[in-house]
Amino acid sequence: MSAWSNGMWDGSVPAAEAVASGEPTRRPDGTHRVVITGMGAVTPAGVGVAALWEAVMGRRCCIGPVTRFDTSDYEVHVAGEIDGFDACEHGLTKKEARRFERFVQYAIVASDEAMAQAGLDMDAEDATRVACVFGTGIGGIDELQSGFSTLAEKGPKRVNPLFIPTMIGNIAAGNLSIRYGLQGECLNVVTACATGAHCIGSAVRDIRHGYIDAALAGGSEESVSPICLAGFANLGALSKADDPQQASLPFDVRRSGFVAGEGAGAVVLESLEHAAARGAQVLAEVTGFGSTGDAYHMTAPDPTGAGVVRAMRQALAEGGFVPADVGHLNAHGTGTPANDATEAHALLELCGDEAGRAVPVVSVKGATGHTLGAAGAVEAIVCALSVMNDCVPPTAGFAEPDPDCPVNVLVEAKTDCPQKVALSNSLGFGGHNACLALSPFYERR
């Protein structure tokens, strides 16, 4: 494990000590400050946040040939699979592993890690004040495809009686709530590839305004499947490169589409007041959230980037920041020609041409591929770790700048880089835009 992995939690701060020394628990408008106390991940880099962080900081591409099914008849042959994933090795029973779809299994393993790090003892909590806001962009696509095949080939009597509760997208949130005894809100916010970020943002708003004290939030996806790869490929959204190292190229002039990935990201969010009362360690603070709609096109982003700019401005304003405060942008950065150009121009519109070109930019998707409904949560975790550790990660796959994306994409990690705030963008089919503003908890002012 790299030095970055070994030291990645060095920026955590005891909430109670900070509050005792005079750190306010409320924002100037009287609403609650919201902090992250636990994080968990399952990604093509492996199981655990440490594996994700090591891959991203090491600029390691975790994409490879598809092994789950035969792609001979497909135009696409690479993806971000989770190699050798065995749910039973990571805390699920054999019955759970048989019954739960992969997106639920990923959600549970990531959430187990986040809950363990947060040390949230549900026996000591008012369970009705702890929510679960956990989404998926697509849901149980494998069970859906299998069910249709069974129906067509064997008839209605042979369809799995648990077909519906296995396949539906909200069942990850439902099973997580059951697993931990979370009796507050139980929601599945679905906004395609912005799902993970919108789930976190929804939970932040609930905590900020006092509806709940804490929440488990994030997103999960099992998108490396025959029907998904066929559909995305026929849409023209996927890279057709056969070399995994040359497939996911965010902001690069050679980019030709995204690479399908899978996994889950989970965070435990709390009001600072609640975290301090139970003696939790604070990892980072969610200082703002922006959410907008393009009202433009079913799959293409508005090329002006106006909706993305508004989301970023909302996130900054909620935290009391201005564009000049942005330490870096964790971009949606899918590697499609339209997305990356739109996002680049949005950053220049936000910060001004000269200043926008100087803001460090990273896309995690060069390392993991595009984990769709999980991406916003996975990238929020990387963004939180970046502000905790005073650094900005590099972008795997990026080598040849595109004049139409005139932004500062890093090829080497930027270290010794304290930041007031960083932004993490997520965009989804249908024109959904989400932006999370993340800040180090210590010395934020």
Side-chain angles (χ1 to χ4, degrees), residues 313-329:
R313 283 179 175 154
Q314 287 176 9
L316 288 173
E318 185 172 283
F321 299 109
V322 295
D325 293 325
V326 177
H328 82 276
L329 172 65

Side-chain angles (χ1 to χ4, degrees), residues 1 5 8-9 39-55 60 62 68 80-92 102 105-114 262-266 368 378 381:
M1 190 175 292
S5 295
M8 66 183 180
W9 306 119
M39 301 194 290
V42 177
T43 68
V47 174
V49 170
L52 170 65
W53 185 238
E54 186 174 29
R60 177 167 62 87
C62 303
R68 190 167 292 133
E81 293 183 331
I82 301 171
D83 293 336
F85 179 80
D86 183 340
C88 295
E89 291 181 358
H90 300 286
L92 275 74
R102 284 185 294 121
Q105 295 179 24
Y106 299 154
I108 288 173
V109 174
S111 296
D112 279 355
E113 180 183 19
E262 60 184 2
T368 64
V378 168
I381 289 168

Side-chain angles (χ1 to χ4, degrees), residues 349-430:
E349 177 66 24
L350 175 73
C351 297
D353 190 80
E354 183 177 353
R357 291 170 187 260
V359 173
V361 173
V362 58
S363 171
V364 172
K365 294 177 178 70
T368 64
H370 188 359
T371 56
L372 304 178
V378 168
E379 290 156 16
I381 289 168
V382 171
C383 193
L385 285 168
S386 300
V387 297
M388 281 178 65
N389 289 288
D390 297 338
C391 68
V392 184
T395 295
F398 177 81
E400 299 181 24
D402 181 358
D404 200 29
C405 298
V407 289
N408 183 22
V409 183
L410 301 184
V411 294
E412 294 184 0
K414 185 178 179 66
T415 58
D416 297 321
C417 179
Q419 301 163 68
K420 291 181 179 180
V421 64
L423 299 178
S424 186
N425 280 347
S426 294
L427 319 179
F429 279 177

Side-chain angles (χ1 to χ4, degrees), residues 137 190-198 232 292-302 308 332 334 339 365 370 372-373 375-376 425-434:
V190 182
T191 52
C193 305
T195 291
H198 272 120
F232 279 128
T292 66
D294 279 354
Y296 175 77
H297 190 272
M298 189 164 68
T299 57
D302 179 350
V308 182
H332 190 58
T334 59
N339 175 96
K365 294 177 178 70
H370 188 359
L372 304 178
N425 280 347
S426 294
L427 319 179
F429 279 177
H432 307 284
N433 307 306

Side-chain angles (χ1 to χ4, degrees), residues 78-323:
V78 302
E81 293 183 331
I82 301 171
D83 293 336
F85 179 80
D86 183 340
C88 295
E89 291 181 358
H90 300 286
L92 275 74
T93 66
K94 290 182 179 179
K95 180 179 179 181
E96 290 171 331
R98 284 195 310 270
R99 179 168 291 186
F100 296 158
E101 275 284 81
R102 284 185 294 121
F103 82 99
V104 176
Q105 295 179 24
Y106 299 154
I108 288 173
V109 174
S111 296
D112 279 355
E113 180 183 19
M115 292 289 282
Q117 183 181 36
L120 195 62
D121 178 6
M122 290 306 300
D123 290 335
E125 294 290 332
D126 177 354
T128 66
R129 299 282 299 171
V130 184
C132 182
V133 188
F134 216 99
T136 177
I138 300 173
I141 195 71
D142 287 353
E143 180 67 19
L144 190 66
Q145 186 169 352
S146 173
F148 282 138
S149 296
T150 299
L151 178 64
E153 296 169 9
K154 300 179 180 180
K157 293 292 186 181
R158 298 295 298 276
V159 172
N160 177 8
L162 293 177
F163 170 74
I164 298 297
T166 300
M167 172 272 298
I168 51 179
N170 68 296
I171 208 65
N175 279 315
L176 291 170
S177 292
I178 293 166
R179 187 176 187 85
Y180 309 117
L182 313 180
Q183 296 178 22
E185 275 192 320
C186 183
L187 297 178
N188 168 36
V189 179
V190 182
T191 52
C193 305
T195 291
H198 272 120
C199 285
I200 292 172
S202 178
V204 166
R205 285 178 172 174
D206 281 348
I207 295 169
R208 196 176 302 295
H209 294 286
Y211 295 110
I212 54 175
D213 297 322
L216 172 65
S220 184
E221 205 73 89
E222 59 175 59
S223 52
V224 183
S225 70
I227 192 68
C228 276
L229 257 61
F232 279 128
N234 292 344
L235 181 64
L238 296 183
S239 168
K240 297 175 183 178
D242 286 328
D243 181 355
Q245 302 294 318
Q246 302 298 316
S248 185
L249 308 174
F251 296 100
D252 194 289
V253 72
R254 300 164 297 155
R255 70 191 186 281
S256 60
F258 74 81
V259 173
E262 60 184 2
V267 296
V268 174
L269 303 164
E270 304 181 52
S271 69
L272 176 54
E273 189 174 293
H274 183 267
R278 69 178 191 87
Q281 291 282 123
V282 174
L283 306 179
E285 183 172 358
V286 184
T287 43
F289 172 56
S291 179
T292 66
D294 279 354
Y296 175 77
H297 190 272
M298 189 164 68
T299 57
D302 179 350
T304 69
V308 182
V309 175
R310 284 188 290 113
M312 292 192 287
R313 283 179 175 154
Q314 287 176 9
L316 288 173
E318 185 172 283
F321 299 109
V322 295

